[in-house]
Amino acid sequence: FNISGVVHVCGGVAAFVAATVMGPRIGRFDKETGQPEEIKGHSVPLAALGGFILIFGFLAFNGSSQGSISNPGDGAAVATAIKNTVMSATSGAFTTMFMNKLPWFGDRKWSFATTLNGALAGMVAICAGCNQMETYAAFLIGIGGGVSYMITTWLVLFKLKVDDPLDACAVHYGGGVWGVISVGLLSRDVGILYKWNAEAALTLVWQITSLVAIIAWTGALCFVMFFLLKKFNLLRVSFEWEVKGLDIPKHGEPAYPAEAYGHGWGEKGDTLFTMVGRPPVFLPSPSDVAPQIYPWVVRVCNLMAQIKPIFEIRTYFKCILCYFIV
C-alpha cells in the first residue's frame, strides 16, 4: 500500500513541471484578459469509459497490494482495502459534484468530468491507508480528496496559469498529498487521532517529511529533463501540427474519416453513385408485397386451426405468429 506518495504525488509533480515548462496549449488563455478559455475534450463517453476502467483498476490494484490471499487475515485485509476504496471514490465524486455548483470553484453546473475526476482523486487519497482505515475515515478521506482536487485545480489554472489538460496535477498531487497526511491522522494503527502519543506524532512528521522529499526530488529531476527536451525542440510539436492534429503526420490516417459520417444522399453520394455506374435497386414497398403474402397467411392460419388440439395454442396467436414468420 502507501502508493499515494511514491506513485501519485510523484506523477502529479511531474505533470505540473511538464505543463509549466511546455507552456499552455494554443488558445488556452485569452490574450487580453488572461482568463482560461475552454477547449472541448475529445469525447465524453470515451472519457467516462476510461474513468470506469481506472476505477475498476483501482479496486484490483489496492486489493492486490496485500501481496497474498491464502494467509490468515489476507481476506479481511483485501476486503477492507476494496471497501474503503469504493467509499472514498463515492464521497470524492459527490464532493466535487456539489463544489462545482459553487461560484468560487466551478461554473455552477453538474459537470460529469469534474465528478469523475473527484472520484479518482478520492481513490488516489485512500491508496495510502486503504487497509488500515475505518469506513467513516475512508468517507472523510474521499471528501478531503475531492476538496483538495478542486482547490488544486483552481490554484493551477486560475492563479498560476498552468495548462494541465488532464488535471493530472490536481487528481494525483492534490489527492496524493492529502492521502499521505491522512495516514498520520486517521489510521487506526498509528493515526494521531486514535493514539495521542509520541509514536503517532512521529508518524505524522515522517509522512510530511516523505512528502517534501518526493516533491523536491521529482520536481528537480523532471525540471532538468523537460528543460533539456524543450531546448532541443523535442517537447512540443509545430504550430501547424498542434492546430490541425497529429493523426495524419504521425499515423498517416485520420482517426475519424469525414467520409464515414453523415448520409449518402449529398454530393459525395451522387459522385460515388456515378462512379459505380449501376442503376439504383429499389425494394418493393409493403403495400406492394402484402397482396401476394396475404393468401398464404390465410392458408397457414386455416391449417393451424385444424391442428389446434395438437398444439394447444389459440388460433389467433398462431395466425399472428405465422404472419410475422411469413
Side-chain angles (χ1 to χ4, degrees):
F1 303 93
N2 296 322
I3 64 169
S4 291
V6 296
V7 172
H8 294 291
V9 173
C10 176
V13 172
F16 176 78
V17 174
T20 303
V21 174
M22 179 182 296
R25 290 168 290 173
I26 298 173
R28 186 63 173 98
F29 294 98
D30 187 88
K31 294 182 179 180
E32 297 181 358
T33 63
Q35 293 300 312
E37 297 287 342
E38 184 180 8
I39 297 180
K40 296 294 184 180
H42 165 262
S43 170
V44 174
L46 286 182
L49 177 61
F52 287 132
I53 292 174
L54 275 174
I55 291 173
F56 183 78
F58 262 106
L59 300 180
F61 190 73
N62 285 353
S64 64
S65 294
Q66 179 68 15
S68 63
I69 195 64
S70 58
N71 297 323
D74 285 346
V78 172
T80 300
I82 294 178
K83 174 202 65 177
N84 287 338
T85 303
V86 174
M87 179 60 68
S88 186
T90 304
S91 59
F94 274 99
T95 299
T96 53
M97 182 177 66
F98 285 107
M99 285 187 68
N100 197 65
K101 293 283 290 183
L102 301 177
W104 305 283
F105 296 102
D107 53 3
R108 298 188 178 185
K109 304 292 184 182
W110 300 110
S111 172
F112 174 79
T114 302
T115 304
L116 182 61
N117 282 338
L120 297 178
M123 301 181 93
V124 167
I126 197 61
C127 282
C130 58
N131 65 322
Q132 48 185 304
M133 298 290 180
E134 299 291 345
T135 304
Y136 81 90
F139 183 80
L140 295 177
I141 291 173
I143 294 176
V147 173
S148 180
Y149 163 77
M150 296 297 291
I151 294 176
T152 306
T153 299
W154 177 74
L155 288 174
V156 170
L157 183 60
F158 291 94
K159 294 302 180 181
L160 300 178
K161 306 296 182 183
V162 174
D163 179 22
D164 183 5
L166 296 179
D167 280 341
C169 178
V171 171
H172 297 281
Y173 175 82
V177 166
W178 164 241
V180 173
I181 295 176
S182 67
V183 173
L185 297 175
L186 296 170
S187 171
R188 63 190 176 196
D189 298 329
V190 293
I192 197 171
L193 298 181
Y194 280 87
K195 298 180 179 180
W196 191 259
N197 53 28
E199 180 185 1
L202 186 61
T203 299
L204 181 59
V205 172
W206 275 116
Q207 294 296 102
I208 298 175
T209 304
S210 66
L211 276 178
V212 175
I214 293 172
I215 294 171
W217 171 262
T218 306
L221 194 63
C222 288
F223 178 79
V224 173
M225 178 178 64
F226 290 120
F227 181 79
L228 292 176
L229 289 174
K230 184 177 182 179
K231 282 298 181 181
F232 288 99
N233 294 323
L234 298 174
L235 191 60
R236 191 162 189 160
V237 298
S238 65
F239 178 88
E240 183 181 12
W241 284 22
E242 183 173 345
V243 172
K244 293 184 178 181
L246 303 179
D247 294 341
I248 300 300
K250 281 290 185 181
H251 305 288
E253 55 188 3
Y256 301 95
E259 294 80 3
Y261 291 84
H263 53 76
W265 295 96
E267 295 181 358
K268 293 183 178 180
D270 296 337
T271 303
L272 181 62
F273 181 76
T274 304
M275 293 173 58
V276 173
R278 291 186 299 176
V281 178
F282 295 101
L283 295 177
S285 63
S287 59
D288 298 331
V289 179
Q292 303 176 18
I293 297 180
Y294 181 74
W296 289 98
V297 174
V298 174
R299 293 179 184 178
V300 173
C301 289
N302 292 334
L303 178 62
M304 296 295 291
Q306 295 176 6
I307 58 176
K308 175 182 176 181
I310 299 177
F311 293 97
E312 295 296 329
I313 304 176
R314 293 183 179 275
T315 304
Y316 70 86
F317 179 77
K318 299 175 190 175
C319 294
I320 295 175
L321 180 62
C322 292
Y323 178 82
F324 281 105
I325 292 176
V326 173

